[in-house]
Amino acid sequence: RGMGHSIDLMTNDLGLVVIMEPDGATLKGFNVYVGGGMGRTHNKETTFARAADALGFVPADDVFELCKAIIAVQRDHGNREVRANARMKYLVHTLGIDGFRELVGKYLGKPVEAALPLPPWVPGIDWLGWHEQGDGKYFVGINVEQGRIIDRGELRLKTALRKIVDQFGLTMLLTPGQNVMLQDIEPADKPKIEALLAEHGVKPIEEVDLLTRNSMACPALPLCGLAQTEAERVMPEINARLRSVARSVGLGDDSSWTTRVTGCPNGCARPYMAELALVGQGPNQYQVWVGGSPVGTRVGSVLMDKMKIDELEGTVEPLLAAWRDGKEGDEAFGDFCNRKGVDFLNEFVQAYSK
C-alpha cells in the first residue's frame, strides 16, 4: 500500500527510514534524511521552516558512524554566531544537500551511499482504532483531541486510561500525533476495554470527525509564554467551524485535510507541513498557510497575514470551493493549493461569491 508518515520524519534535523531485507525479518539499513525543522520568526526571513532532504542510504552496521559524522559536521560547521540560525537545517540550506553529503562523507571516511527506492508515502496511516499487532494480541490507538488527557463533561478520558492501566497493565505509547496507543491487549480483554472506553465517553475512532482526527494544536495560552494567541483551547471550535464551512460548499463529511494551529511561529505543532495552518500572529489573529503535503513531505506557503479568527469562514470557504471545482481526480486539498499557488488562491478569495 505504501508507507505512513505519522511521525513527520521530515520535520527533524535527522531522520531514519527503516529498510528491511526481502525476508521481512532482517534489518538492511536506513535511508537518512537531514535538515528539517519548523521554528521561524515572523518578519525575519533569515529564519524559515524546512523539510528534510534525502542524504542517502546507510547499512545497518554503519548507522551510528554515519549519525556521528552528521552530528560532527553540524558541530564544526553549524552557525555559532547567530542562535536563531544554529539549527542543522540552515547548514544544509547553505551548503546544499550535495555539499552537505560530500562533507559528511569526508567525516565518515567514505562516500555516503545513494538512497534506496522507497514505496510511496500515503496519507491516513495513523494507527488509531483497533489493530492486530502480529503476535496474537491487539493494540488500540485512541484519539486525544489536541493531546489533552482530561475529564471534561461526558468525556472522562483521564479516568478511563487510569482504569485500563490499573486493571490490564498495558504498555502505553504517546504518538507524535498527540494520541495514545495501548499495546499488548489479549483478545479476551478487547471487549472489556471497548466497554470501559464507551462507559467513559471515549468515542471509537470511526465516530471521530476526520477533521478532528487530522488536526493538531500546540498548548499556547495560558501555558506558553511565547504564545501570541490561542491554539489548543480554540481548536475544537475551529474544527467544528471548518466542518460547517465544508458542508456549506457541498463537501461531505468524508472530506478532510490536515489542519494545525499554533499560538506563535515557533512551530511546535509542525504547522508548516499541514495542508491548512493557522500560525499565531497577534491577539486573535493568525498567519494562514496552505499547500503542505497530506503525507508531510512538503512545507506550505503563506496565503495571508493577520487573519482575524472571526474571518475564518470568509477565508476558508473560497479555498474549499476552489478545491471542490478545480481538483484533479481525488487530489488532496494541500496538493491542489500547492499546484495552483498562493497568487491564484488569493485572487480567487478576493473575487469569490457564492
Side-chain angles (χ1 to χ4, degrees):
R1 180 187 174 190
M3 301 192 303
H5 196 212
S6 60
I7 67 166
D8 268 345
L9 178 134
M10 293 182 190
T11 64
N12 293 286
D13 298 89
L14 172 61
L16 303 175
V17 177
V18 174
I19 298 178
M20 304 298 287
E21 295 285 5
D23 64 11
T26 306
L27 177 63
K28 181 181 182 70
F30 305 86
N31 270 7
V32 181
Y33 289 80
V34 294
M38 294 290 95
R40 53 177 288 275
T41 302
H42 287 313
N43 303 316
K44 192 172 183 179
E45 300 307 314
T46 55
T47 67
F48 47 83
R50 190 179 193 279
D53 291 316
L55 181 74
F57 170 78
V58 59
D61 290 344
D62 292 338
V63 64
F64 291 113
E65 289 303 311
L66 178 63
C67 289
K68 187 165 69 173
I70 292 169
I71 295 168
V73 167
Q74 166 66 5
R75 177 197 65 198
D76 294 344
H77 298 273
N79 192 325
R80 291 294 176 270
E81 304 299 322
V82 182
R83 184 171 181 268
N85 296 114
R87 284 286 292 270
M88 188 186 294
K89 64 180 176 180
Y90 297 111
L91 180 60
V92 177
H93 174 78
T94 300
L95 296 177
I97 187 58
D98 292 335
F100 188 86
R101 183 185 299 112
E102 181 179 355
L103 196 52
V104 169
K106 291 179 180 177
Y107 277 66
L108 184 63
K110 57 184 177 181
V112 178
E113 297 181 31
L116 298 183
L118 295 175
W121 302 101
V122 295
I125 301 179
D126 57 14
W127 304 112
L128 297 181
W130 287 91
H131 303 271
E132 295 180 1
Q133 65 181 32
D135 59 357
K137 298 180 181 180
Y138 289 89
F139 70 88
V140 61
I142 299 172
N143 182 77
V144 182
E145 195 166 0
Q146 279 62 72
R148 182 65 59 186
I149 296 175
I150 195 170
D151 288 354
R152 179 183 290 149
E154 294 182 359
L155 175 63
R156 292 175 291 144
L157 178 59
K158 186 175 182 179
T159 299
L161 292 176
R162 175 80 265 177
K163 288 183 178 180
I164 289 171
V165 170
D166 287 344
Q167 185 173 343
F168 300 98
L170 302 176
T171 303
M172 299 181 70
L173 291 179
L174 304 179
T175 78
Q178 299 181 327
N179 300 309
V180 171
M181 189 181 295
L182 305 176
Q183 298 179 304
D184 303 322
I185 300 170
E186 298 287 350
D189 292 334
K190 181 174 181 284
K192 301 174 188 176
I193 292 173
E194 287 176 321
L196 198 154
L197 291 170
E199 289 169 8
H200 290 78
V202 181
K203 294 180 180 179
I205 193 59
E206 295 78 15
E207 296 179 15
V208 176
D209 189 287
L210 285 173
L211 287 178
T212 298
R213 181 172 178 172
N214 293 325
S215 69
M216 286 201 301
C218 72
L221 298 175
L223 298 176
C224 178
L226 299 175
Q228 300 178 23
T229 192
E230 295 279 356
E232 177 196 326
R233 295 193 296 190
V234 298
M235 192 75 227
E237 176 191 346
I238 288 173
N239 280 332
R241 291 167 66 183
L242 290 174
R243 177 56 70 201
S244 179
V245 173
R247 290 169 177 164
S248 75
V249 298
L251 296 173
D253 288 358
D254 59 343
S255 64
S256 184
W257 53 88
T258 54
T259 307
R260 295 177 183 174
V261 177
T262 60
C264 84
N266 288 300
C268 294
R270 310 189 294 281
Y272 308 112
M273 307 296 277
E275 296 176 85
L276 172 67
L278 308 180
V279 178
Q281 203 175 18
N284 298 315
Q285 57 188 13
Y286 299 84
Q287 190 176 59
V288 181
W289 288 65
V290 296
S293 165
V295 294
T297 56
R298 179 181 63 238
V299 172
S301 302
V302 177
L303 180 72
M304 64 180 65
D305 286 302
K306 296 187 176 182
M307 180 205 76
K308 298 186 186 313
I309 192 60
D310 293 342
E311 300 169 353
L312 177 66
E313 287 83 355
T315 301
V316 173
E317 182 180 315
L319 300 177
L320 296 182
W323 176 44
R324 176 198 64 198
D325 297 338
K327 63 181 178 179
E328 298 179 348
D330 59 356
E331 186 177 28
F333 177 68
D335 290 339
F336 168 79
C337 291
N338 180 68
R339 176 171 62 84
K340 300 300 286 187
V342 294
D343 290 340
F344 167 85
L345 295 173
N346 267 315
E347 290 174 7
F348 192 92
V349 168
Q350 295 301 320
Y352 177 79
S353 62
K354 286 188 178 182

